Amino acid sequence: MQLDWKNLGFQYLPTNGHIQCDFVDGKWGVSEFKTSPYLQMHVAANCLHYGQAIFEGLKAFRTRDNRVVLFRPDRNAHRMRLSAERLCMEAPSDELFIDACRQAVIQNIEFVPPYGTGASLYLRPLLIGTEATVGIKASATYSFIVLVTPVGPYYKDGFHPVEALVMLDYDRAAPKGTGRAKTAGNYAASLLPGLVGKKKGFPIILFADPKENKYVDEFGTSNFIGITSKGEFKTPDSPSILQSVTNESLQMLADDLGLKVRREPIALDALDQFSEVGACGTAAVITPIHAIHHGDRVFRYGNKDEAGETLKSLYKALQSIQYGDAWDRYNWLVAV
């Protein structure tokens, strides 16, 4: 397949196949390479009826010296275990998780975009309950799957400022629910408010905390980060948001840049404390936000043409490590 590497969107493209490993009779089997993009499962499979479905997202990069590397797969393996625990699922070990990711990349090595194109290979590890169940209970069998696809920027304009809308009519997750878990259901719950936001002209929405609707929770696709004029990097400390691997990495890089990292509740009414705001996650890395609309108030950050200097520095610092342009001082890259 001939691909225009520099003009890839963030969408599924067919590849050679995926890796699958099944949990049956109380143990994980052998990982196998599957060429068919279709799964065969029972019509009463637990994941279809009771939502035992979780996933992860990470990327593989081709570096300046033509190595192919995964970015922090151990953190994704750890987060999948936490998600699985919340949903009473049997998670793969870290070793199985990382090995399956490696195999998936190796089997699709020609789909890892060339260095310098700005594209990457996106990996989607998926864990689903497969036992045929009618009564509500945890599945006794599971399939762990790693599919891959080459991708470009999550938003068509890439690292470019957008406007966001605070969404108070819908909650992403319940106060003591599954917000910290990367479950399929959480994303299903975000579809309608996301559509409402897009119809109003906003490509991204910002959820409030589900208990009081007074504090920042997270964007519809990613974590919230804010930079103050005092040199602070702030991100919400909330029990209902997903713990982002990208955010965690940016916090470490922010500390390297001399910023004071603070994880604390952020009031919606105090959004004017920031000079820069971004949405961060695996897909987009950082999406700069130049305006947040909250009721009859509009909080503005910089201008609509380019990101602020601190977000630029953080974005460049992270991508430089991922593509092998800078020293990987934290040993985040895992060779394929």
Side-chain angles (χ1 to χ4, degrees), residues 137 213 249 271:
K137 70 181 187 70
N213 268 200
S249 305
L271 285 170

Side-chain angles (χ1 to χ4, degrees), residues 28-106:
W28 286 101
V30 177
S31 295
E32 298 181 359
F33 176 63
K34 307 279 188 177
T35 57
S36 172
Y38 299 101
L39 301 178
Q40 183 175 9
M41 68 174 64
H42 198 283
V43 69
N46 183 292
C47 62
L48 301 177
H49 297 260
Y50 300 122
Q52 277 195 306
I54 60 177
F55 66 95
E56 278 297 322
L58 66 154
K59 289 179 177 178
F61 302 87
R62 195 177 295 275
T63 65
R64 176 184 290 273
D65 57 2
N66 206 36
R67 292 179 299 136
V68 176
V69 296
L70 294 167
F71 182 73
R72 305 195 73 183
D74 57 316
R75 299 305 296 155
N76 293 96
H78 173 74
R79 191 170 63 180
M80 176 165 274
R81 283 193 283 105
L82 295 180
S83 296
E85 181 180 339
R86 180 62 180 85
L87 268 68
C88 295
M89 303 175 74
E90 186 68 36
S93 66
D94 289 7
E95 293 75 19
L96 173 55
F97 183 101
I98 295 172
D99 181 66
C101 288
R102 275 199 177 107
Q103 289 187 50
V105 175
I106 290 170

Side-chain angles (χ1 to χ4, degrees), residues 169-186:
D169 294 332
Y170 301 91
D171 290 326
R172 174 183 163 271
K176 297 180 181 179
T178 59
R180 278 190 180 269
K182 199 168 177 66
T183 72
N186 288 347

Side-chain angles (χ1 to χ4, degrees), residues 198-214:
K198 285 183 174 63
K199 286 183 176 179
K200 293 182 178 181
F202 299 95
I204 188 169
I205 60 173
L206 179 61
F207 286 104
D209 76 284
K211 185 176 182 179
E212 298 182 85
N213 268 200
K214 293 181 179 179

Side-chain angles (χ1 to χ4, degrees), residues 103-117:
Q103 289 187 50
V105 175
I106 290 170
Q107 293 287 353
N108 294 281
I109 199 72
E110 66 267 39
F111 290 97
V112 181
Y115 170 82
T117 60

